[in-house]
Amino acid sequence: MTAQKIQQIDNNLNVPNYPIIPFIEGDGIGKEIWRSVKQVLDKAVRTAYGESKKIEWKEVLAGEKAHIKTGSWLPEETVQAFRDYLVGIKGPLTTPVGEGIRSLNVALRQELDLFVCLRPVRWFKGVATPLLEPEKVSITIFRENTEDIYAGIEWNAGTPEVKKVLDFLKNEMGVTNIRFPETTSIGIKPVSSEGTERLVRAAIEYAIEHKLPSVTLVHKGNIMKYTEGGFKKWGYALAEREFPDQVYTNNTFVRIKNAQGLAAAVKSYKEAEENGKIFIKDVIADAFLQNTLLKPEEYSVIATLNLNGDYISDQLAAMVGGIGIAPGANINYKTGHAIFEATHGTAPDIAGQNKANPCSMLLSAVMMLEYMKWNEAADLITKALENMFKDGIATHDLARFMPNGQSLTTTEFSEQLIHNL
């Protein structure tokens, strides 16, 4: 059969049996891990579906490879390919220093309006962690991907631009509490109701689809009352307005408690629990970071702003073994566009040495297969990884901390994984 584009039709992803999927190899260790990931993916698809399904890979350029070949760090042809083919995957990219785009990853997310950064975090038995009970960690993070600090609105101290902003704040807005204006840089943190609602909606729909018990809004609204506080307020309002029969919010509990008393509120909570409703709650970001260490089992789906999500994603990854096994995706659920990616950097110190751990990109590829509804192939990879980690078989970064760990090269790890599929 002829390879075809994936399409979004009536808000549903239409995946042909022979989809064309663009990929960016990546910089540094990207070449090594991509080779590994591609081999495993192709074998898993072939094992699950025989010749009835197959991915047609299409290389597109970004990062150092693109700069050398085209003079551009992110060619328009690459962005257009992701627009046209909807679903893609990428390795780690170098961010140019002193020139060009502030961040290639951020540029792709902004260009395609990939408003969800999706990061599922779970523990694999056998992987060493700092937790006594890492099996309690099973949390999926929905991090807002286009607003907050990713808007990139800031001015450097001492520049004419920042002076204009400071003059406006002082003379037009009556701001008097900037203590050292001559040496102050200014950044603006945009947070909108529209941006909040589409993120929280996606998180709730994910919880419903996967039959998860709760969605937690993580924010710093006690201090930033109109941005992060707005995120909390708009998130609750969206949940109550669009999912009245499927969720029970902390706001509902408080309203009943204030109007009818604690007993009535507790009764309503228990009834919601018995009816299988998803609980929508919120927590201050700093308390949440502590809670995830003390009682991670209380959280299943997280919806949060960009900067909070950055901290949260990395802490949770560390709790289950590190960023080397942390997958990630950037998704626009309305248009269907999605880019799945390794969440770590280019690791130039080990590039070309056949030492790199491909699991972050590999697990991101598993997410891609699940997004395409090719769950049989995705499950084959996940189960093979579970068995290998349980037996202490991993690349050196993980194996060195495992009891009876067996350190494999990138190539050996891939070959063993393919054998276990």
Side-chain angles (χ1 to χ4, degrees), residues 200-201 204-205 208 238-247:
V200 174
R201 181 183 298 113
I204 294 173
E205 289 174 345
I208 292 170
L238 179 280
E240 293 172 348
R241 183 176 69 249
E242 295 192 9
F243 303 93
D245 299 326
Q246 295 154 301
V247 307

Side-chain angles (χ1 to χ4, degrees), residues 9-35:
I9 301 174
D10 296 329
N11 291 323
N12 291 307
L13 203 66
N14 183 20
V15 181
N17 287 337
Y18 291 79
I20 302 168
I21 296 183
F23 71 91
I24 297 171
E25 185 178 70
D27 298 324
I29 60 172
K31 184 175 183 178
E32 299 159 71
I33 64 174
W34 168 247
R35 187 189 306 118

Side-chain angles (χ1 to χ4, degrees), residues 3-6 13-21 41-57 87 365-382:
Q4 297 174 303
K5 294 179 180 179
I6 295 173
L13 203 66
N14 183 20
V15 181
N17 287 337
Y18 291 79
I20 302 168
I21 296 183
L41 272 178
D42 287 344
K43 178 61 185 299
V45 170
R46 190 163 59 250
T47 301
Y49 309 114
E51 298 303 317
S52 65
K53 292 184 180 182
K54 183 181 179 182
I55 295 172
E56 181 75 22
W57 299 107
V87 175
V366 168
M367 291 176 66
M368 184 183 76
L369 292 173
E370 292 170 342
Y371 185 68
M372 295 161 56
K373 305 301 183 186
W374 289 18
N375 295 316
E376 296 84 0
D379 290 344
L380 285 175
I381 299 172
T382 302

Side-chain angles (χ1 to χ4, degrees), residues 65 68 82 99 175 195 199 216 227 234 236 239 270 301 305 324 326 344 349 354 360 382 402 407-408 413:
K65 191 173 183 178
I68 291 168
F82 285 121
E99 61 171 316
V175 174
L199 179 87
T216 304
T227 51
W234 297 322
Y236 272 129
K270 289 181 177 179
V301 178
L305 297 107
H344 52 70
D349 55 320
N354 203 21
S360 174
T382 302
M402 294 174 166
S407 292
L408 302 184
F413 182 81

Side-chain angles (χ1 to χ4, degrees), residues 279-390:
F279 289 91
I280 311 296
K281 53 189 177 180
D282 75 279
V283 64
I284 302 298
D286 45 320
F288 174 79
L289 291 171
Q290 175 181 235
N291 291 348
T292 54
L293 292 169
L294 298 175
K295 44 187 179 181
E297 67 276 12
E298 292 192 1
Y299 303 105
S300 53
V301 178
I302 304 304
T304 192
L305 297 107
N306 186 275
L307 185 58
N308 296 334
D310 202 2
Y311 302 146
I312 288 166
S313 297
D314 281 8
Q315 175 180 299
L316 290 177
M319 287 164 55
V320 296
I323 203 166
I325 53 172
N330 304 285
I331 302 173
N332 183 318
Y333 286 98
K334 185 173 183 180
T335 65
H337 288 96
I339 298 178
F340 299 81
E341 64 181 357
T343 59
H344 52 70
T346 59
D349 55 320
I350 62 168
Q353 298 178 36
N354 203 21
K355 294 179 178 179
N357 178 358
C359 288
S360 174
M361 194 174 186
L362 182 59
L363 287 166
S364 298
V366 168
M367 291 176 66
M368 184 183 76
L369 292 173
E370 292 170 342
Y371 185 68
M372 295 161 56
K373 305 301 183 186
W374 289 18
N375 295 316
E376 296 84 0
D379 290 344
L380 285 175
I381 299 172
T382 302
K383 289 174 182 175
L385 280 174
E386 287 173 342
N387 290 331
M388 288 177 65
F389 289 148
K390 186 173 60 178

Side-chain angles (χ1 to χ4, degrees), residues 64 78 122 277:
E64 290 179 339
T78 296
R122 58 153 293 187
K277 290 193 174 185

Side-chain angles (χ1 to χ4, degrees), residues 74-96:
L74 183 60
E76 175 55 31
E77 293 84 354
T78 296
V79 179
Q80 190 60 47
F82 285 121
R83 286 195 189 103
D84 291 343
Y85 295 99
L86 292 190
V87 175
I89 189 167
K90 59 175 283 295
L93 291 175
T94 298
T95 295

